[in-house]
Amino acid sequence: MIDASERSVDKAAQEMINRAQEDDIGLAWDRYEAMQPQCGFGQLGICCRICHMGPCRIDPFGEGPQQGVCGVDANAIAARNVVRMIAAGAAAHSDHGRDVATVLLEAARNPDSGYEIRGTDKLMVIAEEYGLDTEGKSVNEIAEAVALKALSEFGQQEGEVQFALRAPEARIELWREQGIMPRGVDREIVQIMHQTHMGVDADYKNILKQGLRAALADGWGGSMIATDLQDILFGSPEPIRSKTNLGVLEQDQVNIVVHGHEPALSEMIVEAARDPELLKRAEELGAAGINLAGQCCTANELLMREGVPSAGSFLHQELAIMTGAVDAMVVDVQCIMPGLADLSERFHTKLLTTSPKAKMPGVEHMEFHEDRALEIAKEIVSVGVENFANRDGQRVQIPDETMDLIAGFTAEYVNTLLGGRFRPSYRPLNNAIIEGRIRGVAGVVGCENPEIPQGYGHVEMAKELIKNDVLVLVTGCSALADARAGLLRPEAALELAGEGLSEVCVAIGMPPVLHVGSCVDNSRILVACANLVAEGGLGEDISDLPVAGAAPEWMSEKAMSIGYYVVASGVYTVFGTPQNVLGAPELHNLVTDELEQMVGARFDFEADPIKAAHMIIEHMDRKRKALRLEPMMYAQPVAVASD
Ligand code: SF4
Ligand code: MSK
């Protein structure tokens, strides 16, 4: 038997991993082990299969080939691979944004769609930002105009992505000077595909530059559109209490797990699960109710707007099915393991795909359409309800693990949170940083990866940072890992935070680790950084701020796009495992050093989360010194990197 604690730090996950071993069921960790040793050329980033003269690979020891058949070198090969990852990640986030805009358009035009526009305040703010005439117009007319304007940003051929103008003036100027100001969202992604086609760009610096521009089109474009239009449709989140972990599944209720990323369907499923007829049918079948739980970023979306509990993060998806208590798992797009198809066959779980972009062989497909959203959501919930009758009580094993949390802090809410309802402002947060109560702000985000014990990187890094008075903002699976560890409770401030941070948190009852949302909501962190600069006293640009980013357990192409737009926005960022650039020394030097001269920030790679936390702390101290801020107010825990 493998020691399950080597695979996850979470007790519930360990219980299910052990169950899988007893039942001889292979999970992601087993498939990862079966894959060892992984291809060294791929890991170093120096294999290329862009054209049919290849595949080609560069000998990292300098003895074999140093060029592909076409004559390209290791740096350009690795850079092309990196920016193609950025292109895919930016495309995923941005296509999500496009879908949200389409739903907003449907909601505005079709009163029978089942959607209502809940975030009218935000609608007016965005309409003004887009320069739209709102005088005498109805909510639906304004929403229609906003949706059309947002949709036009994707295919735009000229001009600049609108929300990029939210960045500080100095940053906008720098982007323009460097030639990386994003134009249209789709345009930047398409240009990567052209630029990296065989026989086009062979200059690794020029290739990476386009990667930065496409990443910015994601962060300040596609992702930001997704976030803001979701707020318009479903309402801006405000802090809300809920629970997380596999223990949120209910023994005596129909359990429906919604998994993926886009709230367009899952918000409707929340509505459908309250339908009296479906509740009655569940009761007839012996269930005490219909219990919804979220998975991955769908979990974050529903958690922060509806308080729907989360069953877990990326590596929990198979474990949820292993409980034998999930009657339906409904998936849309992104981070859905194809391995779910075989696993659900071994239990009674009905796996349902819903997006025309994401099907699985042999898995039932119930396609979602915005114009019949509620009707389709009810049909989907009904499948879960009927399947409750097939549940084998003998095979149900739900770990008795849940954790309380508070979710739903937005860039806008920081105004009210710290400034109060009567004088909403970032001033108290800026002051807390200037006076040395809070050292700085770190965004710790991203995925999980079986390469690292699940949650170890996220939780240990967040604990070390808050101990040293760093306010931590979390999104995606990082947020869910910290939530399971209890870091999203206000009590965590007293238990684990340094004295200065704890004082601020206790005064207003907030956790030291703030849940900011899903992967597309990393855009909220960009806006928060712009607001910190705009409030004054912390420099003229984001790169002046004592802030940092981290992705301790990253795996997806979206994480690459996020990392690059965060760095291109001026935020020093530490990735847990190295990007695939180690076989390309000059490219490696560019991303971990020279980028600093270009955009005022760079990457570091560090697998040890405690060491990485101290790299962030040292970076913040350098920025504090450059800004001539007050020394930290209280004696600090010793800031020493572990061995
Ligand atoms: Fe090989 Fe060049 Fe073709 Fe890549 S583009 S597969 S390096 S010949
Ligand atoms: S779900 S992108 S594993 S954070 Fe957004 Fe989690 Fe990473 Fe998917």
Side-chain angles (χ1 to χ4, degrees):
M1 287 274 283
I2 286 156
D3 178 358
S5 69
E6 288 172 11
R7 295 186 161 189
S8 176
V9 298
D10 171 40
K11 292 264 179 291
Q14 290 168 11
E15 183 180 332
M16 287 300 101
I17 290 165
N18 284 334
R19 181 178 197 194
Q21 291 190 73
E22 282 155 17
D23 294 357
D24 200 21
I25 290 176
L27 300 172
W29 291 273
D30 302 291
R31 297 190 292 268
Y32 174 75
E33 270 175 26
M35 201 56 66
Q36 302 309 314
Q38 282 169 300
C39 170
F41 296 105
Q43 283 178 322
L44 297 174
I46 45 176
C47 71
C48 180
R49 41 165 295 276
I50 278 175
C51 89
H52 201 52
M53 290 189 284
C56 303
R57 76 245 181 287
I58 303 299
D59 181 358
F61 304 108
E63 286 160 14
Q66 294 301 297
Q67 294 178 331
V69 174
C70 64
V72 74
D73 67 10
N75 289 302
I77 288 178
R80 289 195 304 211
N81 292 336
V82 164
V83 302
R84 281 190 169 210
M85 285 185 87
I86 295 173
H93 283 148
S94 301
D95 209 31
H96 171 165
R98 188 197 332 265
D99 285 349
V100 179
T102 310
V103 175
L104 182 62
L105 192 61
E106 184 69 30
R109 285 178 174 171
N110 176 6
D112 299 328
S113 68
Y115 292 106
E116 52 174 320
I117 292 154
R118 296 188 209 151
T120 47
D121 289 353
K122 186 126 187 192
L123 174 68
M124 299 311 287
V125 170
I126 305 294
E128 194 184 329
E129 209 172 341
Y130 273 146
L132 299 171
D133 177 15
T134 54
E135 195 64 36
K137 300 244 167 73
S138 69
V139 164
N140 280 359
E141 284 168 337
I142 299 168
E144 181 181 18
V146 164
L148 289 171
K149 182 73 183 98
L151 283 168
S152 76
E153 297 234 45
F154 293 92
Q156 180 174 293
Q157 299 303 313
E158 286 177 359
E160 295 169 338
V161 166
Q162 175 70 37
F163 295 158
L165 301 174
R166 292 174 175 179
E169 198 52 48
R171 182 73 9 198
I172 295 170
E173 280 313 308
L174 184 143
W175 288 338
R176 286 177 182 151
E177 271 166 32
Q178 293 289 348
I180 56 172
M181 184 70 176
R183 298 157 297 182
V185 178
D186 293 354
R187 179 174 182 183
E188 306 308 352
I189 296 165
V190 169
Q191 184 167 323
I192 284 187
M193 298 314 287
H194 177 194
Q195 211 166 325
T196 60
H197 183 278
M198 185 268 149
V200 184
D201 202 346
D203 176 349
Y204 71 96
K205 284 191 185 173
N206 202 45
I207 293 168
L208 198 85
K209 201 166 124 182
Q210 181 56 23
L212 294 173
R213 180 147 61 170
L216 287 171
D218 173 1
W220 297 85
S223 282
M224 211 170 267
I225 289 171
T227 294
D228 282 352
L229 269 53
Q230 281 170 187
D231 284 355
I232 292 173
L233 263 169
F234 308 117
S236 290
E238 291 204 354
I240 186 167
R241 285 186 183 277
S242 189
K243 286 191 185 297
T244 187
N245 216 337
L246 293 170
V248 306
L249 298 171
E250 298 285 355
Q251 187 95 27
D252 59 349
Q253 295 192 37
V254 174
N255 289 307
I256 298 178
V257 173
V258 273
H259 173 22
H261 278 77
E262 298 181 352
L265 166 65
S266 49
E267 281 278 351
M268 279 297 156
I269 290 194
V270 173
E271 190 94 12
R274 295 178 188 138
D275 180 78
E277 278 180 31
L278 287 167
L279 285 165
K280 189 162 159 263
R281 179 65 183 145
E283 207 177 306
E284 282 166 13
L285 292 169
I290 302 173
N291 179 43
L292 275 191
Q295 193 87 49
C296 277
C297 278
T298 296
N300 286 311
E301 298 284 0
L302 293 186
L303 194 56
M304 64 184 176
R305 292 203 181 81
E306 309 286 351
V308 169
S310 147
S313 45
F314 179 64
L315 286 172
H316 273 66
Q317 58 188 288
E318 292 181 296
L319 309 181
I321 291 181
M322 290 289 312
T323 64
V326 175
D327 302 298
M329 182 176 273
V330 186
V331 304
D332 55 19
V333 289
Q334 302 168 20
C335 305
I336 297 145
M337 285 196 196
L340 292 177
D342 285 347
L343 184 65
S344 60
E345 295 271 301
R346 302 206 39 184
F347 291 84
H348 82 298
T349 303
K350 198 88 179 145
L351 183 63
L352 298 170
T353 56
T354 60
S355 166
K357 296 170 205 158
K359 297 185 179 183
M360 293 186 204
V363 170
E364 188 171 343
H365 185 69
M366 293 182 77
E367 197 153 305
F368 178 65
H369 298 279
E370 302 84 34
D371 57 342
R372 294 193 300 118
L374 187 57
E375 188 188 325
I376 296 168
K378 283 184 189 170
E379 286 166 16
I380 288 171
V381 171
S382 166
V383 170
V385 169
E386 294 300 327
N387 198 32
F388 179 78
N390 299 323
R391 195 194 286 180
D392 177 355
Q394 301 292 319
R395 294 191 73 200
V396 171
Q397 182 183 339
I398 303 174
D400 187 19
E401 295 284 341
T402 61
M403 182 55 79
D404 294 332
L405 62 92
I406 298 185
F409 295 88
T410 62
E412 293 92 330
Y413 195 79
V414 169
N415 283 295
T416 328
L417 178 72
L418 292 142
R421 291 214 180 260
F422 296 108
R423 273 194 314 144
S425 153
Y426 265 58
R427 182 47 41 201
L429 176 56
N430 282 41
N431 284 348
I433 296 171
I434 291 165
E435 291 158 3
R437 279 194 172 79
I438 293 178
R439 186 185 297 269
V441 183
V444 183
V445 309
C447 323
E448 294 165 342
N449 186 328
E451 202 174 359
I452 302 155
Q454 183 200 20
Y456 172 73
H458 295 303
V459 174
E460 293 310 310
M461 178 182 283
K463 287 205 301 209
E464 192 65 17
L465 289 171
I466 62 173
K467 187 169 97 183
N468 284 280
D469 292 313
V470 176
L471 177 64
V472 175
L473 309 182
V474 288
T475 60
C477 292
S478 184
L480 299 171
D482 287 349
R484 287 194 296 275
L487 303 184
L488 271 53
R489 297 168 305 129
E491 301 87 308
L494 274 176
E495 295 160 4
L496 298 164
E499 218 172 329
L501 175 62
S502 173
E503 212 171 79
V504 175
C505 293
V506 170
I508 46 183
M510 75 175 191
V513 178
L514 299 182
H515 177 282
V516 185
S518 64
C519 292
V520 291
D521 291 329
N522 285 308
S523 63
R524 297 189 197 275
I525 301 180
L526 298 179
V527 174
C529 287
N531 291 350
L532 281 170
V533 174
E535 188 60 48
L538 290 173
E540 300 301 317
D541 193 356
I542 294 174
S543 54
D544 296 332
L545 297 170
V547 298
E553 303 179 28
W554 76 283
M555 64 86 195
S556 81
E557 292 164 314
K558 292 180 292 168
M560 282 288 273
S561 182
I562 294 166
Y564 276 88
Y565 73 61
V566 168
V567 165
S569 299
V571 180
Y572 167 70
T573 297
V574 187
F575 269 35
T577 46
Q579 294 165 18
N580 308 82
V581 296
L582 297 185
E586 286 156 37
L587 176 67
H588 181 240
N589 190 53
L590 173 62
V591 300
T592 58
D593 185 358
E594 284 175 47
L595 270 184
E596 179 92 42
Q597 278 87 59
M598 188 181 167
V599 291
R602 63 184 180 88
F603 285 103
D604 257 325
F605 307 139
E606 175 52 60
D608 179 337
I610 306 291
K611 274 190 190 166
H614 283 281
M615 290 157 79
I616 287 173
I617 289 163
E618 281 161 26
H619 165 79
M620 287 177 177
D621 286 347
R622 278 195 296 276
K623 293 290 173 185
R624 292 185 64 85
K625 200 168 163 203
L627 287 166
R628 298 173 198 272
L629 302 185
E630 303 281 332
M632 291 304 290
M633 194 169 268
Y634 299 101
Q636 296 303 302
V638 186
V640 193
S642 65
D643 289 326

